[in-house]
Amino acid sequence: MKPDWKELLFPRAADCLICGDPRQAEGKYCLCPRCRERLLSLRLRENVCPRCMGPLDGKGQCRFCRSESLKPMRAGYGAFRYAAEAKALVERLKYGFEDEAADALAAVMAQCFPAAEYDALVPVPLHRTRQRGRGANQAALLCDRVGPRAGLPVLDALQRVRNTRTQIRLNPAERQRNVRRAFAATMNVQGLRLLLVDDVRTTGATARACAEALLSAGAREVGILTATIASEGKR
Ligand SMILES: [Zn+2]
Ligand SMILES: [Zn+2]
């Protein structure tokens, strides 16, 4: 049977967010059992860097730590590899199914970092012009759901002070240049241990620029938590 594109793009509330198939009757999860199982197989648990949870390559090396892209940060955490079902959920977060997708990702994100070691969560900001173009800031959606689960407040402590070019076609060095000094703290963060929150960690360049802004505003420590971590430097 050919899938109806309208059903795929706009599944009824009872259908799986990823494949559009009807979910199980209890309706507790927004995914069908098959997508749920596949999603859980993408959890970052084995073969990940002990410092930043980046996926290790064939030589057992972490590309984030090798490139020092997370150097000013205390640690990094991520729920899923940026692939297949996890990538699909992140896309849903941006384009149309914000609440359900954010709930599904946040439930796992809240379990993958030591909440006692941080004082607050900080969403990576989206520039105002881009935020208008595509709805809510996905980082803020995730923060608002991870916060209560982890027992941490959410601080809107950062703003973009410069509209950066979209990162998709840039290599890692260009990304680093593109986002440098793009962020500034909006409040007093003196002495706080802050955990940045975003949907995807690709090169770590955005996270690093955010961390530098918070640290120069007096934050004691900064970490990064993302829903997904990409194995490759470019999407
Ligand atoms: Zn499904
Ligand atoms: Zn690492």
Side-chain angles (χ1 to χ4, degrees):
M1 200 180 76
K2 252 179 88 182
D4 178 343
W5 68 272
K6 271 191 192 156
E7 290 264 292
L8 285 179
L9 287 177
F10 309 106
R12 286 162 287 145
D15 292 346
C16 172
L17 261 192
I18 293 174
C19 72
D21 280 355
R23 344 167 173 154
Q24 297 255 288
E26 78 264 31
K28 189 179 165 205
Y29 304 107
C30 56
L31 305 179
C32 72
R34 191 188 50 196
C35 289
R36 209 178 123 69
E37 197 174 305
R38 289 191 188 166
L39 178 70
L40 291 177
S41 76
L42 293 167
R43 273 206 67 173
L44 287 161
R45 274 198 278 229
E46 285 143 39
N47 266 327
V48 297
C49 170
R51 175 171 182 268
C52 78
M53 285 180 79
L56 299 178
D57 63 18
K59 293 177 192 150
Q61 287 190 318
C62 166
R63 66 186 177 86
F64 296 101
C65 290
R66 202 176 43 207
S67 71
E68 303 197 332
S69 63
L70 303 181
K71 198 173 179 195
M73 271 169 272
R74 205 205 120 165
Y77 317 92
F80 301 105
R81 281 170 205 278
Y82 184 67
E85 283 76 15
K87 195 169 167 179
L89 259 194
V90 167
E91 292 299 316
R92 299 297 184 279
L93 193 61
K94 287 178 188 166
Y95 306 107
F97 300 94
E98 293 85 357
D99 293 335
E100 284 194 293
D103 282 339
L105 293 168
V108 176
M109 289 169 78
Q111 293 168 12
C112 65
F113 72 97
E117 296 175 19
Y118 292 91
D119 300 311
L121 306 178
V122 177
V124 169
L126 203 61
H127 193 271
R128 217 179 312 123
T129 54
R130 258 192 273 160
Q131 185 153 346
R132 216 179 291 134
R134 85 179 165 194
N137 176 3
Q138 62 271 20
L141 289 169
L142 293 169
C143 250
D144 290 345
R145 288 162 175 84
V146 174
R149 285 185 160 94
L152 290 173
V154 176
L155 297 180
D156 253 323
L158 281 173
Q159 63 177 353
R160 251 183 226 265
V161 288
R162 204 157 60 69
N163 201 355
T164 50
R165 288 148 72 205
T166 181
Q167 301 265 70
I168 290 170
R169 281 178 200 83
L170 303 181
N171 70 34
E174 288 170 334
R175 283 186 181 216
Q176 204 85 58
R177 271 198 301 278
N178 188 38
V179 296
R180 194 171 293 153
R181 287 190 293 277
F183 301 94
T186 58
M187 60 174 69
N188 181 8
V189 292
Q190 199 71 41
L192 294 179
R193 302 167 302 167
L194 300 172
L195 187 61
L196 289 161
V197 176
D198 207 353
D199 56 347
V200 189
R201 188 210 299 172
T202 308
T203 62
T206 302
R208 179 173 184 154
C210 288
E212 282 169 348
L214 292 171
L215 290 166
S216 67
R220 174 142 65 103
E221 284 177 338
V222 179
I224 172 74
L225 166 68
T226 51
T228 58
I229 300 180
S231 302
E232 304 286 327
K234 281 210 225 176
R235 284 192 205 175

